[in-house]
Amino acid sequence: MQSNPTTGRSFPPRVVAGIMTGTSVDGIDVALTKVFDRGLLIQTSLIDASTTPFPISLRESILQIAHNHSTGVAELSDLHAKLGHHYSRALSSLAEQNSIPLDDIFCCGCHGQTVWHAPNNPTPSTLQIGTPTVIAEQTGISVVSDFRWRDLAAGGQAAPLIPVVDWLLLRDRSVHRIAINLGGIINLTFLPANQPIENTLAFDVSPGNILLDRLTQELTAGKSNFDNHGQLAAQGKCLGPLLESWMALPFIKMHPPKTTGREAFGDLFTDHVLELATSENWNLYDVLCTATHFAASAIHYSVESFLPVNKDSKPVELVVSGGGAHNEFLINLITQKMPHCVIRKSDAFHYPVDAKESMAFAILACLTTDGVAGNIPLATGAKGPRILGSLTPGSSRNWCNLLRWMQPHTPS
């Protein structure tokens, strides 16, 4: 038991699951996390995490729906159900590997697979598929899902949602920290030193692995899905005019709050790049190299333009995570552009680079059950803090335990 200094109560630790599939559509990330205390006093200890690659046909179906927005209702409904089954199996497998009975898991936070995100439309909307009901039925675990809609309904961008977890796990009294997720879309969280959670700023920066991965697949004729350690990009040279055109894109210059996704930087964007490469007779190694420079340059521009990191003498640390944290060429470029910042991987904070988002949605699920807001208005643009997510009951026993936990707690 851990004692809460605010209430004087002792709360048993919770084993919580998190499931995430991101913009890169690499596979299903699952984390099992032990969570101590509750609300904004939460502390965590990762038990284990895994990534289950998508079957090729399933990945192609996801990408088809994400790219072809006229996909029929039948196909969308079918994929919604299939993802639920795959999520359930991935979670059950990780629990079995760690000898954790499913009955011992308090709840599961499942983000789902984003196939549409349009917060700036006249009627803002977003869609994550992968039905939580199948997970609840097959595992008996109550599921918190549909995290984005409440923030969207409150006038926000519905993203990014990880900043509250970054604040819980990475904030520092004397060091400014910038958590950078080098995922399909690159995003950052600015954690000013010794500041309350409401002063946390976060936003999407630029395309990341959705552009790098697609260029790698074209360059290798489908033999590689990603640029391992940036070895292919390192063989090219940066094309100045192409980099300048990308850095002049309106989204790069737009002030936060802002989010983006495949709608802006998916296959249509990359197809145009490839057409341009053909007409200009550019080497694809050079295009991939330029795309990696673009990622580093966009991060540098965002920090210099939108974050108040040069207004005091406090040191600045960049805490990187996501698949791009393994891209040594990209990390070296960021280091060159930002020599006064210390770059550390999130692993150093027991927040593993490959499990950060799945672990984060486990924690976000806990905040929901604790009755605590999971969004940060300064980051999303919402009208105020909101409790996020929808609850799907698991087994009777699991659901009753969850309801007991959610009863109001008063000081002893």
Side-chain angles (χ1 to χ4, degrees):
M1 296 275 189
Q2 179 161 331
S3 178
N4 183 323
T6 303
T7 65
R9 296 180 64 95
S10 294
F11 302 108
R14 293 173 278 178
V15 176
V16 184
I19 303 175
M20 175 70 189
T21 50
T23 315
S24 297
V25 196
D26 296 327
I28 302 168
D29 294 328
V30 181
L32 288 172
T33 303
K34 187 171 286 189
V35 178
F36 304 91
D37 218 311
R38 58 190 298 144
L40 295 183
L41 296 172
I42 276 176
Q43 298 180 45
T44 66
S45 174
L46 181 67
I47 298 169
D48 198 7
S50 66
T51 297
T52 304
F54 283 123
I56 294 175
S57 61
L58 183 64
R59 184 173 191 270
E60 290 176 347
S61 295
I62 294 169
L63 292 174
Q64 174 68 17
I65 285 179
H67 298 151
N68 178 15
H69 300 136
S70 62
T71 299
V73 173
E75 290 84 0
L76 184 61
S77 179
D78 181 68
L79 187 56
H80 184 46
K82 283 180 178 175
L83 276 170
H85 288 280
H86 281 277
Y87 290 161
S88 176
R89 286 195 288 269
L91 170 54
S92 297
S93 176
L94 184 63
E96 183 179 358
Q97 291 169 26
N98 287 273
S99 301
I100 296 175
L102 294 175
D103 283 348
D104 289 351
I105 298 177
F106 174 76
C107 71
C108 171
C110 182
H111 174 269
Q113 177 66 55
T114 298
V115 294
W116 178 251
H117 187 67
N120 299 316
N121 275 7
T123 302
S125 64
T126 186
L127 181 60
Q128 289 73 43
I129 61 173
T131 174
T133 308
V134 169
I135 303 171
E137 176 63 28
Q138 296 190 349
T139 65
I141 301 168
S142 298
V143 181
V144 185
S145 62
D146 203 23
F147 286 90
R148 299 195 179 275
W149 262 104
R150 187 60 188 272
D151 183 88
L152 194 74
Q157 294 275 310
L161 297 182
I162 304 298
V164 64
V165 183
D166 288 336
W167 183 86
L168 282 168
L169 302 185
L170 297 176
R171 71 188 188 277
D172 190 85
R173 290 184 177 276
S174 56
V175 175
H176 294 316
R177 289 206 171 116
I178 305 172
I180 302 176
N181 177 45
L182 300 171
I185 297 294
I186 295 172
N187 54 64
L188 65 77
T189 301
F190 177 53
L191 303 162
N194 200 31
Q195 291 293 309
I197 191 169
E198 56 265 24
N199 291 344
T200 301
L201 178 64
F203 53 91
D204 285 350
V205 171
S206 71
N209 292 331
I210 58 170
L211 178 58
L212 302 182
D213 291 353
R214 172 74 191 284
L215 291 174
T216 298
Q217 291 158 17
E218 294 290 334
L219 177 59
T220 64
K223 294 179 181 178
S224 297
N225 286 328
F226 64 96
D227 186 8
N228 191 26
H229 299 294
Q231 294 174 358
L232 297 175
Q235 298 177 47
K237 64 178 184 295
C238 184
L239 301 168
L242 180 59
L243 178 59
E244 289 176 11
S245 70
W246 282 340
M247 288 300 297
L249 289 169
F251 181 80
I252 303 300
K253 304 296 183 183
M254 184 189 303
H255 282 255
K258 58 179 181 176
T259 60
T260 190
R262 285 190 177 274
E263 295 74 28
F265 293 110
D267 272 7
L268 289 177
F269 180 84
T270 311
D271 287 344
H272 175 71
V273 173
L274 293 169
E275 291 169 4
L276 192 61
T278 299
S279 64
E280 298 290 337
N281 199 30
W282 288 335
N283 186 305
L284 283 185
Y285 284 98
D286 296 342
V287 177
L288 179 59
C289 178
T290 306
T292 311
H293 274 267
F294 176 38
S297 298
I299 292 168
H300 178 241
Y301 176 84
S302 295
V303 171
E304 291 294 314
S305 301
F306 306 133
L307 304 185
V309 294
N310 296 319
K311 294 183 179 180
D312 56 43
S313 59
K314 289 185 174 64
V316 179
E317 292 183 351
L318 307 182
V319 183
V320 297
S321 62
H326 302 296
N327 188 324
E328 295 172 8
F329 183 57
L330 174 57
I331 298 300
N332 287 338
L333 290 176
I334 297 171
T335 302
Q336 292 169 21
K337 293 179 181 296
M338 307 176 72
H340 301 299
C341 297
V342 175
I343 298 182
R344 305 173 69 182
K345 289 186 177 182
S346 62
D347 300 71
F349 303 92
H350 308 288
Y351 199 12
V353 295
D354 295 319
K356 178 181 174 182
E357 290 191 305
S358 55
M359 185 177 175
F361 277 96
I363 296 170
L364 282 169
C366 285
L367 294 181
T368 298
T369 64
D370 296 349
V372 174
N375 67 332
I376 299 178
L378 187 62
T380 67
K383 289 180 288 188
R386 297 292 188 269
I387 298 171
L388 305 180
S390 301
L391 275 165
T392 302
S395 68
S396 296
R397 176 178 177 273
N398 179 273
W399 181 240
C400 288
N401 287 339
L402 196 64
L403 290 177
R404 278 194 293 270
W405 177 273
M406 293 170 65
Q407 292 295 313
H409 291 270
T410 56
S412 300

